[in-house]
Amino acid sequence: VEKMFVHLQGFINPDHNPFDELIITSEFEASNLEISILKNGINERVPFPYLDGEGIWQKSTLNYEINGVLWDGSIQSNFVINVPNGLAGSFSGTINSETKLEGLNLSSVKLSLLDDWMPITGIAKGSIKLQGQIGEATSILKKYGQLYISDFSLDSGTPISLSHTKLNIQQNTPQQTLARIQIENIMFDQILIKAIDANLKILPEKFLLTNGRLNPSNGIILFSGNYHT
């Protein structure tokens, strides 16, 4: 972290909640930051060449904005966290956040889990929203996401390229995730598929695929099925 400051102002009232009138503002700036992610026993590192953020804590609510560089593109995250008794040590409350991704160069992604499916080209953008309760064992976060990828191709044994991909994800409970995927102009080893779209329901014990539609050069193929984990 290259720069960071915290500023406090206000007064403490011992007759009421002593932190009601306390205002805290902060900023930070960092370069060449790496975040470690442990996935399937493998420690992956995600680089952030630059990050900065600023926010304010006032009347039990934290408003914060973070901007940065990720995979030659940009990331922006805004979140509002309300914890009525936060300064007293309780982190029960609510969160409302949105993270936006723009212009991510997928050829810059270097993850060992993708060794056999390393992207050669592709530009991605999207957003992720979180809403709900935090700080309790029964807290439920609702998650919504959209991802768009254009001009995507893979470094694999068989040439694969996709013109446009759109993915929508919605999770209202930890036990169920709903997704819809739409892909246009798939080239698989010189075979053209005009479009694929399908709905996906992800449950702890299985995946359900419904309303699948595949458009090869001639005709339409409808498909559905399930996979037990």
Side-chain angles (χ1 to χ4, degrees), residues 94-149:
T94 61
I95 184 172
N96 192 331
S97 74
E98 181 175 16
T99 298
K100 296 181 180 180
L101 307 170
E102 188 71 39
L104 305 189
N105 180 2
L106 298 184
S107 67
S108 298
V109 178
K110 306 299 180 185
L111 300 175
S112 59
L113 292 174
L114 301 177
D115 278 349
D116 296 331
W117 300 92
M118 194 67 70
I120 302 174
T121 62
I123 300 296
K125 66 177 182 179
S127 64
I128 303 169
K129 294 182 180 181
L130 298 178
Q131 296 175 335
Q133 303 289 323
I134 58 173
E136 299 287 347
T138 57
S139 296
I140 295 178
L141 277 179
K142 295 182 179 180
K143 306 168 187 176
Y144 311 89
Q146 291 183 324
L147 179 66
Y148 303 89
I149 302 175

Side-chain angles (χ1 to χ4, degrees), residues 9-10 19-25 55-63 80-84 87:
Q9 67 181 61
F19 302 110
D20 272 350
E21 303 302 323
L22 185 63
I23 299 174
I24 304 173
T25 58
I56 182 171
W57 168 277
Q58 185 175 17
K59 295 189 180 298
S60 302
T61 299
L62 174 65
N63 286 270
V80 178
I81 300 176
N82 179 263
V83 279
L87 292 177

Side-chain angles (χ1 to χ4, degrees), residues 70-222:
L70 173 64
W71 294 324
D72 300 329
S74 64
I75 178 171
Q76 180 187 64
S77 185
N78 295 276
F79 55 88
V80 178
I81 300 176
N82 179 263
V83 279
N85 298 304
L87 292 177
S90 172
F91 295 99
S92 297
T94 61
I95 184 172
N96 192 331
S97 74
E98 181 175 16
T99 298
K100 296 181 180 180
L101 307 170
E102 188 71 39
L104 305 189
N105 180 2
L106 298 184
S107 67
S108 298
V109 178
K110 306 299 180 185
L111 300 175
S112 59
L113 292 174
L114 301 177
D115 278 349
D116 296 331
W117 300 92
M118 194 67 70
I120 302 174
T121 62
I123 300 296
K125 66 177 182 179
S127 64
I128 303 169
K129 294 182 180 181
L130 298 178
Q131 296 175 335
Q133 303 289 323
I134 58 173
E136 299 287 347
T138 57
S139 296
I140 295 178
L141 277 179
K142 295 182 179 180
K143 306 168 187 176
Y144 311 89
Q146 291 183 324
L147 179 66
Y148 303 89
I149 302 175
S150 59
D151 301 323
F152 181 72
S153 62
L154 283 172
D155 181 12
S156 62
T158 302
I160 301 174
S161 64
L162 317 173
S163 177
H164 298 284
T165 302
K166 179 181 179 181
L167 176 67
N168 288 286
I169 297 177
Q170 176 180 332
Q171 185 185 59
N172 291 326
T173 70
Q175 290 75 35
Q176 177 177 287
T177 301
L178 303 177
R180 178 170 178 80
I181 186 167
Q182 299 168 282
I183 307 174
E184 297 179 2
N185 298 324
I186 306 103
M187 185 66 72
F188 181 78
D189 196 20
Q190 305 304 315
I191 299 174
L192 175 64
I193 300 174
K194 294 180 180 179
I196 297 177
D197 65 84
N199 295 327
L200 183 65
K201 180 185 291 187
I202 304 172
L203 303 171
E205 72 283 358
K206 61 183 176 181
F207 300 85
L208 299 176
L209 192 65
T210 60
N211 298 324
R213 184 183 180 97
L214 187 149
N215 295 70
S217 298
N218 297 294
I220 297 174
I221 299 174
L222 304 179

Side-chain angles (χ1 to χ4, degrees), residues 32-63:
N32 300 317
L33 183 68
E34 287 189 344
I35 296 179
S36 296
I37 300 174
L38 187 64
K39 185 71 173 179
N40 297 327
I42 300 175
N43 189 26
E44 302 283 8
R45 294 184 178 274
V46 179
F48 290 89
Y50 178 81
L51 275 180
D52 67 44
E54 60 179 353
I56 182 171
W57 168 277
Q58 185 175 17
K59 295 189 180 298
S60 302
T61 299
L62 174 65
N63 286 270

